[in-house]
Amino acid sequence: MKGMALEMVFQMFLYIVVILVVIGIIINFRESILSALKLCDYIPGGCPQKEECTAIQSTEVSITESVLKKYCDFCWSKTGAKDFSKDCLCYVVSGSFSPDSYILSDYCNLKCDKSVTSVIFTYSHLLKKVLIEC
Amino acid sequence: MKGIALEYVFIIVVMVVVILVSISIIVGVIKPELLPEFRVVTDVRYACSEYNSTQITFENFKTVLYGFLTDQCNNFSAELRQDITFEDIKRAAKEVDRKIEVVQLSSCHFLGTNTHSVYTCCDDIFETGKKINITRREIKNSDVLICGQ
């Protein structure tokens, strides 16, 4: 009877360890598990988005106000709008650019004041702005 | 005795299932890109200092660029013994870290942001016999600026 009792204790201990390990894994990777099982829509607040910053090379015939707005908005939507926590190189756009008094969104800061053949859109975490430089 | 043996078989089966499920969860959840990269950084500070103000080959340039991208060198200037193109620099930078972007600028200056990228100015090629300057801000993961003279 004593032997059986010890066996039970060992089993209980084993089960508790296994259960704790599984619970630990689930808690640690809950966000990944939820997104893998596509359950993000069903939890309040959804799953936190991963911060991804990839630079994209693009070519335009000429870089006009609408082109500047387009790329600035794209850059802002993937960085500033998501409260991105570091600087990001968003786009390198090739095309003829001439400086002018362009009217852009508040979060766009045009810093290129010369005629060039490519402009660079970067997000500044410090300024919370998309910088357009050359 | 038979009952105990069966019990053990059942426990072993349960344990095997639990282990397999745990492994599959870990393998499925931890994607390779999420795993931290254990990168060994070679000390090239001596090379940066030794090659500074000398004539360098493309191989020397690659060593120095590695030093800049791993926060070991800050300022460097040398004369080229071989042509180095924009594509060469791009390849060399990607060998160090495939996520690093190499961008060509129209003038030799740092941008207002710091994205751990390599910026070159101003032509597609740095020619043999010409001087090349490499600088970085003295901060972690700084941009690297490569200009010709």
Side-chain angles (χ1 to χ4, degrees):
Chain A
M1 193 61 189
K2 268 187 180 177
M4 283 295 283
L6 268 176
E7 196 178 305
M8 284 290 285
V9 170
F10 174 72
Q11 274 185 28
M12 288 296 286
F13 177 72
L14 205 63
Y15 288 139
I16 288 168
V17 168
V18 170
I19 289 166
L20 285 178
V21 168
V22 171
I23 290 172
I25 289 171
I26 291 170
I27 290 172
N28 199 26
F29 298 108
R30 62 186 182 282
E31 284 155 11
S32 306
I33 292 168
L34 286 170
S35 56
L37 298 172
K38 300 190 191 308
L39 295 173
C40 291
D41 299 336
Y42 303 104
I43 58 165
C47 298
Q49 297 292 312
K50 274 185 283 177
E51 288 194 342
E52 280 185 17
C53 173
T54 46
I56 297 169
Q57 306 258 352
S58 178
T59 306
E60 298 279 346
V61 178
S62 63
I63 299 168
T64 58
E65 185 174 296
S66 63
V67 171
L68 289 172
K69 272 184 182 171
K70 178 176 74 174
Y71 285 102
C72 183
D73 288 349
F74 281 159
C75 185
W76 178 257
S77 66
K78 69 179 189 177
T79 54
K82 292 178 181 172
D83 207 16
F84 205 71
S85 64
K86 56 185 178 183
D87 290 354
C88 174
L89 175 62
C90 295
Y91 296 98
V92 180
V93 183
S94 300
S96 63
F97 170 82
S98 302
D100 204 344
S101 53
Y102 298 115
I103 300 159
L104 302 169
S105 310
D106 289 342
Y107 49 78
C108 303
N109 186 358
L110 179 60
K111 293 180 76 181
C112 184
D113 56 1
K114 59 184 177 182
S115 296
V116 288
T117 53
S118 73
V119 290
I120 301 157
F121 294 77
T122 57
Y123 171 68
S124 168
H125 167 60
L126 211 62
L127 304 172
K128 303 271 181 233
K129 278 182 188 296
V130 173
L131 307 184
I132 305 166
E133 298 178 79
C134 53
Chain B
M1 193 64 189
K2 268 188 179 177
I4 291 166
L6 271 174
E7 197 177 309
Y8 275 123
V9 171
F10 175 71
I11 289 170
I12 289 166
V13 169
V14 169
M15 289 301 292
V16 168
V17 169
V18 168
I19 289 166
L20 286 177
V21 169
S22 303
I23 289 171
S24 61
I25 287 175
I26 292 166
V27 170
V29 169
I30 306 173
K31 296 179 177 67
E33 63 264 28
L34 297 179
L35 289 170
E37 280 182 42
F38 296 104
R39 202 173 48 168
V40 178
V41 177
T42 311
D43 191 339
V44 294
R45 283 173 295 179
Y46 179 71
C48 284
S49 140
E50 194 65 12
Y51 294 145
N52 196 23
S53 306
T54 60
Q55 291 188 321
I56 58 165
T57 61
F58 179 57
E59 281 305 311
N60 301 147
F61 170 81
K62 276 170 75 175
T63 306
V64 172
L65 183 62
Y66 174 84
F68 274 87
L69 292 173
T70 50
D71 303 345
Q72 298 183 64
C73 314
N74 291 319
N75 284 295
F76 182 84
S77 177
E79 191 183 315
L80 295 175
R81 283 166 62 185
Q82 287 173 324
D83 288 353
I84 298 175
T85 64
F86 176 74
E87 286 303 318
D88 291 334
I89 297 171
K90 211 170 179 175
R91 256 195 321 276
K94 296 275 181 195
E95 276 176 28
V96 179
D97 185 345
R98 61 187 168 83
K99 288 180 187 166
I100 288 175
E101 296 294 335
V102 184
V103 180
Q104 205 168 3
L105 296 177
S106 57
S107 59
C108 185
H109 69 282
F110 281 108
L111 298 187
T113 50
N114 187 63
T115 57
H116 198 217
S117 305
V118 176
Y119 295 101
T120 71
C121 172
C122 300
D123 299 317
D124 275 336
I125 186 164
F126 294 99
E127 290 171 347
T128 308
K130 295 272 175 71
K131 264 201 159 187
I132 193 167
N133 289 319
I134 313 175
T135 49
R136 65 181 286 277
R137 295 183 182 109
E138 291 183 29
I139 55 172
K140 199 180 172 194
N141 292 328
S142 166
D143 288 337
V144 176
L145 181 64
I146 305 172
C147 299
Q149 265 183 0

